[in-house]
Each structure stands twice: as structure tokens, then as C-alpha cells.
Amino acid sequence: MTSIETDVLILGGGPAGLWAALSAAAMGARVTLVDKSRCGSSGPTMYGTTVLWDIPPGPGRAEAVEKEFVAGGKLGDREWLLRVVDETHQRLLTWSGTRHRVPDPHGDPAQVHFDGASYLRRLRRGALEVGVRILDHHSALQLLVDPAGTVVGAAGVQRHNKFRPWTIRAGAVVVATGGCAFLSGGAGTEVSTGEGLLMAAEAGAELCGMEFSSAYGLAPVLSRVHPHPAVAPGLSVHFAALYDETGAELPDRHPAALTAIADGRRVFAALSEVPDTVRHWLSRHGAVDAAGRVPVRAVLEGTIRGAGGLALAGADCATTVRGLFGAGDATGRQIVTGAAGACGGLNGAWALASGSWAGQGAAAFAVANERSSSARPVPGVGLGPHSHIDPRSVIGLVQEHTLPLRRSYRRSAGSLGDSIAELDAMWPGAQFDLGGLGVGQLRARQAAALLAVARWAGYSALLRAESRGIHRRIDHPAAHSDWLVRLRCGGLDEVWVRREQWSPPLDGELTAATPAAV
């Protein structure tokens, strides 16, 4: 077994995890980062263009913040949005990668675009230069806690070393494992399966905004060949004009396209607006039809572009468990996105800002708190040595109740109730029968995480009896002032959901969650 001591342990090597590593190292902490794949070479960011807000001081900031606040159904927090804007702008002023920016395709000066692969490579190289220890292909399976319940590390296996176990003791841990896309086939989302959320919940962490986990993207329909899910099929249509089967342009692009697909109509992307290199790739893989159009389909992006994730308890991105911090897509982002999906410049800015704050917060916590000499692994689902159920059966059930538009895009009490009943019935079997050794253990853990995330999302969506942002209820099509509230959820054997006693932000402070009767 490999055993390591460090000050700050970061789980996940995407943009948020790497920014957390850089900021923690800048405070003098010893930093170790583990990634289930290769840090800087996997995940959704790797296969597309990364968009970040970069808004200098001035009236443009207030305008951008107010626009996002209203778009999010007024569930966000203007002061947190301003913090994100300022942090991102300050970081980009001193980061050498900004010289590779390209103009926004729609002429928005508040946004800058980076090639995702180059962005990640530069972040990884910067982390190595400041002494961050990066361990690739080290899958985390469970957190470690001391007798008081404080998170003091994590344990897992080395995928490329015969699944040899590893244990890392740390003064604080940052969960930056990304969101959950339910293995929908979106570009780079094969690593976004929710294990970080499950590990945190098993340690007692709360989640928030899980009803806003129904974000969908668009990807071309490939007729000749089906490449590995990591290949970037969806990037080509991100900015292209979209048309329905009659040839009429869809004015609102993405929302109108999803509505058309949900209604059973076919939708096409304009090939003329696709970059040449991608156009050749699409033609080679049979994505261009006889009329020269690119048929597209809806792909669930879940909490990657949604707002659900770990609930934050402070401005330093601490979670509700001592010693555990959250960053990026693993966190509940309704504090900034409200009920809207986390897309565009805000999504990239949140990864940068939350990663920076989480790294600083974790480093400060590691210095200020005395470490216990004892630690135990948190028990988890799917960690036993024997398997009595095929993980594929669990994943198949989860996908049946999450991926279709009729399940996650257009919800109702009836469909949500049916899904919750099926998923709840599967949980006891998954809890006691999932397991295995080597890759079998990783697949069991993945299946358990997908099932847990689907249950949290279903219960939260059932309770919010209105339509707001990306949460759409066909039996409650309007937004109601009575539902200008935020929801918390958690639990494994018994899922719970409660309201926060919340009012519009006061003096810029993060409002605390106070349980209330529902």
C-alpha cells in the first residue's frame, strides 16, 4: 500500500482542482492532487472551448451580475456573483495563458475563450512548477475521518498499478471531482459519474440545488461510427445556428431546439457555421446528411451544467463537514447561477474562483487545526470484495429514469414519483450486493454514485412544485413567489429534502441554511 502525508489533498484534476492546487501551494501548503484519469487530459473541458468571464471594474460588472441574477430566477446571490467576477478578473490579469484568448464569437467583451486542452495543460504545468504532487490514475474510493468526524484524507486504488491501494492523510480535502452526467455520452463526461458527491454524502455532507440537474446539451447524430465517448462530438454545434425539419431557424437556439426535440421534431445545425477541422471530422463520421445538414440530439449534462452539488457553508467554499471543501462542478452553484444552468462565462469563472477559494480555505484550515493521530475510512456502498449484482443493471435503471427528455426535461409528479419508487427499490440491493475487486470495485462504486445522485435529484425535483430555470414541471408550468426558496437534500438509505429559511442576500453575506418544516 502507498501511504502519503500532505497538507491539502485535492480530489479531481479539472480546472477547479488545478486552481485549488495553485492557490493552496501559493499559501505555502504541501499539496497532493489525485485524478481518476490523467490530470489535464480528461473531462468535459478537455474537449471544447472554455469560456470565462473577464469583466474589468466598471458599470459592465453590475449589468452582467444583474442579468445573471434575473436569468437564475432570483435564487442566486449578487454579492457572490460580484466575488466571482472580481476573482476571475484578478487571476486572469496575472496568468500568462490570457495571451491565448480569442474574441467571443458573439462579440461579448465580457467573455474570453480558451482552447480547453491548452488551458488544462497550462494549469497542470503551472501546478507542477509550484511543487504540487500530481498522481494520475489514482481513483479515490472513500474519505478518511478522525474520531470527531473531521475529514483527514482519502483512500483509493491505482488503476495503472494492478489496483494497488493508496491512502493519503491530509490536513484538509478539496472535492473537485466534477459533476454527474449519468454516462450520457457527452464529450468528456465519461469521468463525471458523481463519486465525489457520494463520498462526501457518506461523510455527512449536505447537497443543494439538486432539482436543477436537468441541463441538456446538443450533440450530432453519428450514423457510420460510434467513437469512444471521450471524443468531442458535441463541440461542433455549440455556436451553430439551429433549424427544425421545415427549415425554419430556431430563434432561441438551444432552448428552442430542446423543445422541438422533446416534441418529436428533428433539429439540424448549420454546417456553414462549423469550423473547418470539425466539419471534416463530422463528414468523416457520417454526421452530415444528404442535404448537407448536421442532425443533432439532446444529451443530458446533469449537474455538469446544472446547479446541483455539495452545499457550501462559507465564503471559503467549506462544505457542511469539517475539513472538507468543494470546488467547481462538484459544488451546488445555485448561489451564483440560481435556477439557471451553469453555462458560458459564468461556468468557467466559477471553476476558477471556487477552486481558488477552496484551495486557500483548505490550506488555512490545515494550518489552524491540530491533526488527529487516528483516522478511519468512511464506510461506503459498493466497496465490498464480492459482487452479487451486475453494476450495468443499476446503471441501466438510472439511465432509464434520467436520460430521456420525458424524465428530466419535462417533469411531473407522476413521472417523478414512478422514478423515485424504482430507484428507491434498487438502493437496498445496490447497498448490499454491489462490490468487487480491481476494476469491478470501481464500476460498483460508479453505479452506486449514479444511483445516489439520481435519487437526490428526483426527490428535490418532486418537492419543488413549480417551473423555474432549467427545472420544468408540466403539472406546474409557472414560477411562484412561494417557491423563491432554496432546497437542501442528503441522506442515503432515507433521502431527505428541506427548505432553507432564506431571504435575498443581506449585506453581501452568505445566508445560512436553517431547517424548516416543508
Side-chain angles (χ1 to χ4, degrees):
M1 173 184 289
T2 301
S3 184
I4 298 172
E5 293 275 346
T6 192
D7 295 325
V8 175
L9 170 62
I10 297 166
L11 309 180
L18 285 165
W19 277 111
L22 287 166
S23 62
M27 294 187 67
R30 295 174 300 162
V31 182
T32 301
L33 183 151
V34 299
D35 193 279
K36 68 192 295 186
S37 184
R38 184 181 186 278
C39 167
S41 299
S42 66
T45 301
M46 177 68 185
Y47 298 97
T49 299
T50 294
V51 186
L52 286 86
W53 268 354
D54 187 12
I55 310 174
R61 281 192 177 182
E63 293 172 4
V65 163
E66 189 62 25
K67 180 180 178 181
E68 290 294 333
F69 178 74
V70 172
K74 300 183 179 180
L75 285 185
D77 187 311
R78 294 183 180 91
E79 293 300 324
W80 272 78
L81 281 164
L82 285 170
R83 287 185 66 215
V84 171
V85 172
D86 186 64
E87 182 72 27
T88 306
H89 179 65
Q90 295 301 323
R91 293 277 178 177
L92 292 180
L93 281 176
T94 58
W95 188 54
S96 60
T98 55
R99 65 172 176 266
H100 296 292
R101 71 175 64 186
V102 297
D104 182 88
H106 303 295
D108 186 351
Q111 297 187 154
V112 292
H113 292 235
F114 300 96
D115 172 70
S118 300
Y119 179 62
L120 283 174
R121 285 195 299 267
R122 184 172 291 273
L123 283 172
R124 177 187 172 108
R125 186 162 63 248
L128 291 172
E129 288 173 352
V130 296
V132 175
R133 185 175 188 176
I134 296 178
L135 301 176
D136 296 317
H137 307 292
H138 278 57
S139 297
L141 293 174
Q142 56 197 141
L143 296 173
L144 307 178
V145 295
D146 66 12
T150 301
V151 174
V152 292
V157 293
Q158 304 174 47
R159 293 181 63 100
H160 283 193
N161 190 15
K162 300 180 180 179
F163 297 95
R164 181 180 178 182
W166 57 262
T167 298
I168 300 178
R169 293 287 303 276
V173 176
V174 177
V175 177
T177 51
C180 180
F182 303 102
L183 295 175
S184 61
T189 61
E190 76 285 352
V191 298
S192 304
T193 46
E195 289 94 329
L197 301 183
L198 178 59
M199 286 188 288
E202 289 168 341
E206 298 180 359
L207 300 99
C208 67
M210 291 301 295
E211 69 270 37
F212 306 117
S213 59
S214 53
Y216 280 84
L218 297 173
V221 178
L222 306 179
S223 59
R224 291 201 199 111
V225 65
H226 299 283
H228 187 274
V231 176
L235 307 176
S236 55
V237 300
H238 188 64
F239 296 109
L242 300 170
Y243 301 85
D244 66 12
E245 54 196 9
T246 68
E249 183 173 358
L250 300 175
D252 295 331
R253 294 201 178 192
H254 191 271
L258 291 177
T259 300
I261 295 172
D263 289 338
R265 290 181 287 157
R266 300 180 68 193
V267 174
F268 304 86
L271 189 62
S272 60
E273 296 188 22
V274 173
D276 289 340
T277 54
V278 180
R279 188 182 310 162
H280 295 152
W281 186 92
L282 290 169
S283 300
R284 196 165 61 249
H285 290 83
V288 183
D289 66 9
R293 303 172 302 182
V294 181
V296 299
R297 61 188 177 93
V299 178
L300 181 63
E301 294 178 326
T303 66
I304 294 177
R305 295 290 180 262
L310 297 176
L312 301 181
D316 58 357
C317 289
T319 70
T320 54
V321 176
R322 275 179 53 84
L324 187 66
F325 296 76
D329 295 351
T331 60
R333 289 160 289 171
Q334 67 176 359
I335 196 70
V336 290
T337 68
C343 58
L346 177 56
N347 193 41
W350 175 252
L352 184 157
S354 64
S356 300
W357 299 331
Q360 293 168 352
F365 184 92
V367 171
N369 291 272
E370 185 176 349
R371 303 184 195 181
S372 173
S373 59
S374 61
R376 63 174 177 84
V378 177
V381 181
L383 293 174
H386 305 292
S387 175
H388 304 287
I389 184 174
D390 191 333
R392 290 176 296 183
S393 65
V394 178
I395 294 172
L397 178 70
V398 170
Q399 291 181 323
E400 178 186 343
H401 290 281
T402 54
L403 300 189
L405 288 165
R406 69 179 185 278
R407 294 289 186 181
S408 293
Y409 184 71
R410 288 177 173 169
R411 294 161 160 169
S412 68
S415 67
L416 288 167
D418 290 344
S419 294
I420 288 171
E422 293 278 350
L423 297 171
D424 279 352
M426 175 62 79
W427 181 257
Q431 185 178 24
F432 295 107
D433 294 332
L434 279 175
L437 296 174
V439 69
Q441 186 179 54
L442 297 181
R443 290 173 178 166
R445 197 66 167 141
Q446 181 184 79
L450 292 172
L451 180 56
V453 175
R455 294 172 72 220
W456 294 322
Y459 272 93
S460 299
L462 180 60
L463 181 59
R464 184 174 287 278
E466 66 159 358
S467 292
R468 187 182 298 270
I470 62 174
H471 170 67
R472 300 172 181 86
R473 289 279 297 267
I474 59 175
D475 52 349
H476 296 282
H480 299 287
S481 58
D482 291 345
W483 278 103
L484 194 61
V485 297
R486 298 172 183 165
L487 299 180
R488 288 280 180 100
C489 69
L492 296 166
D493 296 342
E494 297 290 336
V495 174
W496 56 265
V497 184
R498 69 178 181 228
R499 299 186 185 204
E500 293 182 14
Q501 288 286 16
W502 173 80
S503 58
L506 300 174
D507 299 325
E509 295 181 355
L510 176 64
T511 53
T514 304
V518 176

